[in-house]
Amino acid sequence: MTNAPDMPWTTLEPALPSKASRDAFVEHTRALAKVRRDERADEVLDKVRAEFVAEVKASRRADRQALLAAGLVLCDLATQGWLMRVRGERVEIRPPEPVADRVAEKARIRRQELVKRNAQLRQSSVQRFLDSMERQRLHNGAYVSIYSLMRDGRELAEGLREARTHLNNGWADVLSNLVEPYLQFVTEEAATCAYTGLRLMDVWRYFRHTWTNQHTSVPGRTMLFLVRDRAAANHPVMGIGALSSPIMQIRERDSWIGWHPDTFLERVRREPTRDLAKWLVDTLDAAIDEIYVADLLEDKVLSTRDLTAPSDAALDRLLNEGAEQRRLHHRYARTRDLKRSRADLSGDEYWVAQARTHLFRSKRALALATFLRARAVLNEAFQGKPTAEKLAALAATGYGSDAIRRVLKKAKADRVGIAVADISVCGAVQPYNALLGGKLTAMLAASPEVVHQYRRRYAGAESEIASSVAGRPIVRASKLVLLGTTSLYGVGSSQYNRIKIPAHRLGGADKDVIRYEELGRSAAFGTSHYSEETVDALVDLVQQSDAQRVNSIFGEGASPKLRKVRQALELLSLPAGMLLHHHRPRIVYAVSLVRNLADYLIGLARQPDYIIPADAAASTAAIGTWWRERWLRHRITSDQVLEEVARHTRVHPVTHGARVPHQRASTQQPMFTDHS
């Protein structure tokens, strides 16, 4: 392997009790280090991995789970381009050298992603799903399959060539007759495709498998949509997208919004106002009122007087109670007694029962300690009358700044999951990819129709954590005001670059725009560089150790997988911070849908001031018109582009780019042919 002279080597000494396992780990490293970085590297690494796994599973060592987990970590690092060597009996590794060449870096990341994507496609369950989607079936008197929802590129390219003759006159009508996008949401009401009878969820899933990276489910809220083309037979799929619950902490996004603690404190110190001072008090009062306290009062953990004028002794009792209840939660969290169905209890009884569990009693006690301490600070600072002058004095102190940060954190928690969403999937389906259909999908993700559908879907949704803390149902208005996303590659994203929708084209003000803003690069930190097999081995190690701190129970905290992997690496005495740094930063983008973003997201403004009027269907059509004018019209002037479009056909053998590449040799014939 090539050396990276600027990066130091790090010694790995995994906690393997037996000498046999330590020797096996060293030999495994030697085998990985000998793999040459050429076109056969992935194939050879897979072989080394398979031989190692087979050998470990066949052994009778007591510490074989630890050896398996440590060895699989090394396999994934080698696949990601990390360097490794053995000096004597000492294993050393170092991260891959940064690649300056943008094209080479994209190719490297693509290869890494395809390893996991192709492994997923080889799963028998996925193979059965793909076969079922490609198999012909009779629907409304015609034989159809997923191929029926792929547009034939030859026909489209021919029409676009004809449209080029109208680019100086009448081009808008010609293009609208060729490509007319609209949104279709994957909902219970619209469960199947009218033209094929296929489940919309299955249609979405099939095309998602054509992506470079593997398809994984995202916890929390998820809203899937298809972009379809009304201008062609069967309304073929142009693109797919998904909105999901956002990542809670992204420094670049939070600073841009204005609700990162440092950014917000700078605002308070620069422009203290009475409204901000009153907002602090009102937000804190609402936070305390939203905590179930009946059992804490019954058990004398605190008194009713402590709720308004907390004593130091009461705060200490709350902290001790929180720690003890968390200990009890970890002791009993894996028992079946924790599983409770909503059907078992009626009304508020369910939320009261949830609130009284060890987990949520701990959360309530710790939250009360935090909020009551902040209330004591605000009481002393404002003396019942919040003013701009008093706020300025408060923000100038360390304890005052700490109280402001804690109130801000609560305000953010109330809004981040309901008013902010991540675009977790966004892209075009061939042959529309060559026509910048990805930009169209990205623009439609920010349309009023998506905002309307999101609000409609989650209008009555009870917040699981907030309701479990309050002991009663808490429903917050799901008014979407901000979208965030990241690029797959850290060296640029042609899909999101230069996307700007003039608001006046959708009935808004002349000066306003909907724009994808590039905010910077995220920290290259997480578990994306580890395979499912490796993560499972690490999780099994934790579960066998009797030291499990993470149980994937909703409410324990964010990113349970990340926390489990970290705990496993720590159990192995491996440098978790280093090994969770995947050296693949992504570009962070954000799209504000309102004019009063910062104030609405902290609750200072009661209602969002949307940039585009909420005329859902009309706005989607207008975005399609703008896309044809801004992007499609100019794209079709290239012969190379139209040749790429024409390449995607449904003629036997099917080589259409929207067909999922099967990862096994198949004797079956394609289930759909078109000899036209």
Side-chain angles (χ1 to χ4, degrees):
M1 294 185 177
T2 305
N3 287 341
D6 294 333
M7 295 191 180
W9 290 93
T10 298
T11 300
L12 296 187
E13 297 179 305
L16 300 172
S18 70
K19 185 178 186 303
S21 288
R22 292 194 296 273
D23 291 344
F25 182 76
V26 171
E27 289 306 311
H28 177 52
T29 307
R30 283 199 177 98
L32 292 172
K34 290 177 182 177
V35 178
R36 299 182 61 180
R37 307 308 296 179
D38 55 26
E39 64 275 3
R40 294 188 63 249
D42 291 339
E43 178 185 340
V44 178
L45 286 171
D46 283 346
K47 182 179 179 181
V48 172
R49 181 192 194 101
E51 291 175 349
F52 171 76
V53 170
E55 180 183 345
V56 173
K57 289 186 175 180
S59 70
R60 295 179 177 273
R61 302 186 187 108
D63 59 349
R64 67 177 183 176
Q65 187 62 40
L67 174 60
L68 178 65
L72 287 175
V73 166
L74 275 189
C75 289
D76 286 346
L77 295 180
T79 301
Q80 302 296 322
W82 286 56
L83 310 178
M84 48 195 66
R85 69 187 184 187
V86 177
R87 290 292 182 267
E89 296 300 312
R90 189 173 68 247
V91 169
E92 296 180 340
I93 64 169
R94 67 178 173 192
E97 185 177 6
V99 179
D101 186 321
R102 291 165 58 95
V103 175
E105 177 65 3
K106 281 191 173 184
R108 180 182 74 86
I109 295 173
R110 179 179 172 81
R111 286 195 303 271
Q112 293 172 358
E113 291 293 343
L114 284 173
V115 170
K116 290 189 288 185
R117 196 283 302 266
N118 292 342
Q120 183 179 56
L121 294 184
R122 285 192 292 269
Q123 295 174 7
S124 58
S125 60
V126 176
Q127 285 294 326
R128 288 193 298 271
F129 168 73
L130 298 179
D131 288 341
S132 71
M133 295 296 288
E134 294 173 358
R135 184 176 300 116
Q136 284 185 316
R137 68 199 69 200
L138 191 63
H139 179 72
N140 291 339
Y143 282 97
V144 296
S145 71
I146 190 64
Y147 297 135
S148 305
L149 300 181
M150 301 176 192
R151 187 158 186 181
D152 189 275
R154 298 169 307 163
E155 165 266 326
L156 178 57
E158 182 180 347
L160 293 173
R161 284 193 181 91
E162 171 63 22
R164 293 199 300 195
T165 66
H166 298 270
L167 288 183
N168 294 323
N169 184 27
W171 62 268
D173 290 338
V174 175
L175 287 182
S176 66
N177 289 330
L178 282 170
V179 184
E180 188 180 358
Y182 69 94
L183 284 167
Q184 183 174 39
F185 296 92
V186 180
T187 64
E188 293 182 2
E189 295 86 353
T192 60
C193 169
Y195 302 95
T196 61
L198 296 170
R199 292 177 65 240
L200 291 178
M201 174 66 77
D202 291 341
V203 171
W204 189 97
R205 178 188 169 193
Y206 180 91
F207 288 121
R208 175 60 181 84
H209 279 306
T210 65
W211 260 231
T212 298
N213 55 341
Q214 67 174 335
H215 170 42
T216 57
S217 60
V218 180
R221 296 183 174 188
T222 300
M223 188 173 80
L224 313 180
F225 64 87
L226 304 167
V227 180
R228 302 190 67 169
D229 190 350
R230 190 178 280 112
N234 297 326
H235 294 195
V237 176
M238 299 181 67
I240 63 171
L243 300 188
S244 304
S245 294
I247 297 173
M248 296 298 291
Q249 305 287 344
I250 301 181
R251 184 181 183 89
E252 295 79 10
R253 178 200 65 193
D254 294 350
S255 297
W256 180 75
I257 292 170
W259 69 3
H260 186 276
D262 295 343
T263 309
F264 185 73
L265 274 170
E266 181 182 344
R267 171 187 175 181
V268 172
R269 290 163 182 161
R270 184 179 64 251
E271 298 177 5
T273 65
R274 180 184 178 279
D275 286 343
L276 276 172
K278 190 173 184 302
W279 167 83
L280 278 173
V281 175
D282 292 344
T283 302
L284 191 56
D285 288 348
I288 295 172
D289 290 343
E290 217 172 69
I291 297 177
Y292 179 79
V293 297
D295 56 337
L296 298 175
L297 294 172
E298 293 167 3
D299 296 339
K300 306 293 194 252
V301 177
L302 77 166
S303 67
T304 53
R305 177 178 174 79
D306 290 323
L307 292 173
T308 55
S311 65
D312 289 340
L315 296 178
D316 288 341
R317 288 196 298 273
L318 286 169
L319 291 174
N320 291 334
E321 180 69 11
E324 173 61 14
Q325 292 297 319
R326 177 65 68 155
R327 185 188 69 79
L328 293 172
H329 165 70
H330 286 307
R331 180 176 179 181
Y332 299 115
R334 283 180 281 176
T335 66
R336 294 188 177 184
D337 295 338
L338 283 176
K339 298 182 179 180
R340 181 184 297 110
S341 169
R342 291 292 300 271
D344 297 339
L345 298 170
S346 60
D348 290 355
E349 290 180 344
Y350 172 79
W351 295 120
V352 170
Q354 282 288 95
R356 287 175 174 259
T357 61
H358 295 308
L359 173 61
F360 283 100
R361 178 154 168 153
S362 171
K363 293 175 78 74
R364 290 186 290 115
L366 295 176
L368 268 177
T370 295
F371 296 152
L372 291 178
R373 191 181 302 278
R375 173 173 274 178
V377 172
L378 296 190
N379 286 346
E380 181 180 354
F382 294 148
Q383 297 294 313
K385 187 177 181 181
T387 66
E389 293 75 15
K390 292 177 181 178
L391 176 59
L394 177 69
T397 65
Y399 60 85
S401 296
D402 182 66
I404 294 171
R405 288 173 184 268
R406 294 182 186 281
V407 175
L408 175 66
K409 183 177 180 180
K410 169 58 177 171
K412 176 183 175 181
D414 286 347
R415 294 292 176 95
V416 68
I418 60 169
V420 181
D422 279 348
I423 305 174
S424 54
V425 175
C426 181
V429 170
Q430 293 288 14
Y432 298 97
N433 189 51
L435 300 173
L436 302 183
K439 288 186 182 293
L440 171 66
T441 307
M443 287 191 283
L444 289 175
S447 72
E449 187 171 0
V450 168
V451 173
H452 172 75
Q453 179 69 23
Y454 186 87
R455 184 185 305 181
R456 177 173 173 268
R457 175 170 298 194
Y458 297 111
E462 297 175 351
S463 171
E464 185 79 21
I465 293 179
S467 300
S468 297
V469 169
R472 65 181 189 275
I474 300 294
V475 178
R476 307 196 194 280
S478 297
K479 298 177 181 179
L480 195 60
V481 300
L482 178 70
L483 300 174
T485 192
T486 59
S487 64
L488 177 60
Y489 307 105
V491 294
S493 173
S494 58
Q495 176 165 287
Y496 300 120
N497 288 349
R498 298 180 293 147
I499 290 184
K500 181 175 66 174
I501 309 172
H504 74 270
R505 298 293 296 264
L506 285 73
D510 290 343
K511 62 186 173 89
D512 289 334
V513 295
I514 299 290
R515 185 197 317 270
Y516 274 75
E517 301 276 2
E518 183 178 325
L519 308 184
R521 282 169 171 74
S522 65
F525 191 82
T527 62
S528 63
H529 50 315
Y530 291 120
S531 66
E532 290 186 19
E533 181 183 29
T534 300
V535 171
D536 289 345
L538 290 166
V539 171
D540 288 346
L541 175 66
V542 173
Q543 291 174 339
Q544 294 176 19
S545 71
D546 294 326
Q548 185 169 352
R549 300 191 301 263
V550 186
N551 302 282
S552 295
I553 295 173
F554 195 71
E556 271 195 337
S559 304
K561 181 165 74 171
L562 174 63
R563 291 183 289 126
K564 286 179 180 179
V565 170
R566 176 183 286 280
Q567 185 180 356
L569 293 173
E570 291 171 351
L571 281 173
L572 287 168
S573 298
L574 295 176
M578 177 187 184
L579 298 183
L580 290 172
H581 187 196
H582 52 65
H583 297 272
R584 285 172 45 189
R586 295 184 174 188
I587 300 175
V588 179
Y589 294 91
V591 186
S592 175
L593 307 177
V594 297
R595 299 182 185 89
N596 58 342
L597 182 67
D599 285 353
Y600 180 73
L601 283 179
I602 64 170
L604 194 60
R606 296 290 184 182
Q607 296 296 330
D609 182 12
Y610 282 102
I611 294 171
I612 299 175
D615 189 346
S619 67
T620 297
I623 289 173
T625 299
W626 170 247
W627 171 76
R628 286 193 295 265
E629 176 182 332
R630 173 66 180 86
W631 301 105
L632 182 60
R633 178 186 178 187
H634 304 289
R635 188 71 171 168
I636 65 175
T637 61
S638 168
D639 289 335
Q640 184 178 357
V641 167
L642 295 190
E643 289 170 3
E644 170 63 19
V645 171
R647 186 174 66 81
H648 302 282
T649 73
R650 298 179 297 174
V651 176
H652 171 73
V654 179
T655 58
H656 200 291
R659 185 188 185 191
V660 178
H662 286 244
Q663 293 300 306
R664 56 165 169 74
S666 176
T667 58
Q668 296 178 342
Q669 294 295 318
M671 302 298 176
F672 183 94
T673 58
D674 182 354
H675 299 288
S676 60

